[in-house]
Structure formats: C-alpha cells, structure tokens
Amino acid sequence: MSSDIRSSTGEPVEGPFERHSYRVRFDGGNGFELAGIIDRPRERLTSEPLADAPVAVFSHCFTCSKDLKAIARISRRLAELGVAVLRFDMTGLGGSDGDFSRTHFTSNQADLKAAVQFAGTELGAVTGLIGHSFGGAASLAVASDEVARPHSLKAVVAIAAPSDTVHLANLLDRMNPKIQEDGIGEVEIGGRRWSIRREMLDDFRSHQLADQLPNIQSHVMAFHSPSDETVGYDHALRIASLISGEDDQPGCSVVTLAGADHLLIRHPGDAILVADTAAAFLNRHR
C-alpha cells in the first residue's frame, strides 16, 4: 500500500518502507470508545512489520478528526519513512462515541493518555507525540505532565499549535455570546454547526499551558506558518521561548512553513515537508 502524497511537481514520493494501515477501536479516557487508524511501516521485501520503529500518537485539531487530509497524509508518509503512527478521533468526533459538546481540553488530554496506553500495547513504547493545532496543545500539555507522560517519550511535534487555550475560549465567546449568557450556543466551524457549552469555555480558561511548557523534558519541534490566519506565528515563537533543553540550551526547534495555511492544504508540498522533517526528528530522538 503506497502513499497518496505527491511532490509539488505532482510526482509520487515513495518512502523506503511499505505502509500497512488498519482501523482500531479502544477505550478512551472519558468512558467512550474511540476510533483510530494505525499506519505502520513494513519491510518491502518481506512485508514484516519494521522492528524497533519509533511509535507516535497523532492528535487532531479542534472539531477535526483523524481523517483530516493533512493528518492522513502526514501519518501515511511517516509510516513509509519508518515511523508507526496511531491517529485517533477525540470523544464525540469522527468515528468515536460520545457528545462533543461535553468535551474540553481536560477531556482531550484524557483521550490522548488513553491513546498512548493503547498504542503502547498495540505497537510498542510510545516515543513521540504529534499534534495539529489544538491537538498540538494537548500533546504539549501531556508531555509537560510528569505523571501522565509516558516514560518512553522522547519527542513532540507540534503543527500550527497554540501556546495557550484561553484564546480559543475567547474566540468562541466572540462567535456566539449566547454560550456564556445561556450556557450553550452554536458556532459554525468548517461549514458545520457545533454546539458549544459554557463548561467547555470555562475549562479552556482554567488551563495555563504557558506555565506548563517549561516542564517538558522531551525534544520539541514546532511547525508554523507566518501566514497562518487561525493561530498566529507568535504562538510558535512563544512555545520555543518557554522550552529549554539540556544545559539551558533551546529545547524547541521552529520550522517555518512559508506560505502554508493552517490546514496545510494550499500547497501539496507542505505535508511532505512536515512529514519528512518530522520523520527524521522522530527517528533521531527515540
């Protein structure tokens, strides 16, 4: 099974490994069953799973799913480059059970922890977390938690991730003030109507991600576009400024995706750049 990613010239880009993808379901962190897809590298000659491949768990953006085009492309490409990936739907989204309107940042982290536990059983010790947008914030938050983060974690890849959760609460509040006034209201995101509860905004505002980031001990790579109109480029710079490595050296590398949009669909080469660079990073820190 080969990747559907193509280069900016339209030519297929093939990795050294064969990709084997299959669907899974597992217990989430909020009492609901979650849907996921595993993209796993296999040796081309034998079709045997690649031994000792780094294992990463991929979290999607707010109201998105594991099937978002950029997430699917990056995950598939990572498998072709030797990284085993579990991408999954948070509670109430995609193929997962539950009520999205009753979720929040705390529940997102609980689902991510459950996904890490499942991936550890299915694929091996999780060495990397990958997150797009709000999923990047969840990945960074779990990586900063001394109790919750897997002991095997070595690397975090944040793609267009915010440096806080308060900005999303404020945005949703502006989109529909009835959320605060009445306790629930609808907003339109990605052409769909979503019910948002006041409890979600309260939870977003209760987290201080910036205070947690200095606790991260893993290597971090942040991909971000200066032209991202959803999450500003300053968020990537803030994340990098708050994470220190060994001997007080920078612990976060920022990769600038010039001209890219938030969902990485404008230019075909953006997903390839992210996947290829992330694969090298995840293989280096494992």
Side-chain angles (χ1 to χ4, degrees):
M1 188 179 292
S2 61
S3 172
D4 63 355
I5 297 180
R6 295 176 179 272
S7 69
S8 57
T9 62
E11 294 299 319
V13 178
E14 186 174 70
F17 300 101
E18 182 181 70
R19 170 175 59 86
H20 174 53
S21 299
Y22 56 97
R23 297 184 180 275
V24 295
R25 295 190 71 84
F26 58 93
D27 292 333
N30 301 286
F32 299 99
E33 193 173 61
L34 304 185
I37 293 178
I38 285 177
D39 296 302
R40 195 169 191 175
R42 299 195 303 192
E43 299 285 358
R44 289 193 178 277
L45 293 179
T46 64
S47 291
E48 291 293 322
L50 177 64
D52 299 323
V55 176
V57 176
F58 204 149
S59 302
H60 59 70
C61 55
F62 186 68
T63 72
C64 298
S65 77
K66 67 184 180 309
D67 301 311
L68 185 75
K69 185 175 292 186
I71 290 177
R73 286 178 168 176
I74 292 169
S75 183
R76 291 167 180 166
R77 177 66 178 163
L78 284 171
E80 291 189 349
L81 296 172
V83 180
V85 183
L86 166 65
R87 48 187 163 109
F88 70 102
D89 295 327
M90 298 281 187
T91 295
L93 293 169
S96 292
D97 297 339
D99 180 357
F100 168 74
S101 74
R102 297 188 179 279
T103 65
H104 36 60
F105 194 60
T106 300
S107 70
N108 290 166
Q109 292 178 67
D111 279 344
L112 175 51
K113 294 170 193 175
V116 167
Q117 184 175 5
F118 173 76
T121 301
E122 181 77 8
L123 299 170
V126 173
T127 56
L129 298 178
I130 310 171
H132 175 233
S133 194
F134 214 57
S139 298
L140 291 167
V142 169
S144 71
D145 189 329
E146 293 184 16
V147 176
R149 65 189 175 215
H151 297 300
S152 52
L153 184 66
K154 297 294 191 298
V156 180
V157 175
I159 306 168
S163 59
D164 63 66
T165 56
V166 176
H167 85 284
L168 180 55
N170 294 339
L171 174 61
L172 293 169
D173 205 1
R174 290 194 300 271
M175 291 174 71
N176 189 349
K178 288 187 177 297
I179 298 171
Q180 282 290 354
E181 296 169 4
D182 300 338
I184 189 171
E186 287 193 343
V187 298
E188 183 173 335
I189 302 174
R192 288 185 58 185
R193 304 291 297 179
W194 301 91
S195 291
I196 305 294
R197 297 178 184 272
R198 183 192 297 135
E199 289 80 6
M200 181 185 290
L201 306 193
D202 290 345
D203 182 85
F204 289 171
R205 292 188 171 112
S206 72
H207 291 272
Q208 301 298 324
L209 182 59
D211 293 340
Q212 297 175 246
L213 292 176
N215 297 326
I216 293 178
Q217 297 180 353
S218 310
H219 300 276
V220 180
M221 179 169 283
F223 293 88
H224 219 109
S225 169
S227 53
D228 189 327
E229 297 180 353
T230 303
V231 179
Y233 186 71
D234 58 302
H235 282 273
L237 299 180
R238 187 183 185 202
I239 289 170
S241 72
L242 292 170
I243 299 175
S244 297
E246 297 178 358
D247 300 322
D248 291 326
Q249 295 297 308
C252 175
S253 301
V254 177
V255 179
T256 300
L257 302 172
D261 60 298
H262 187 67
L263 297 180
L264 303 181
I265 58 176
R266 184 181 300 152
H267 303 298
D270 290 335
I272 297 172
L273 173 60
V274 170
D276 287 8
T277 308
F281 178 68
L282 292 166
N283 273 292
R284 170 68 177 81
H285 302 292
R286 51 188 295 189

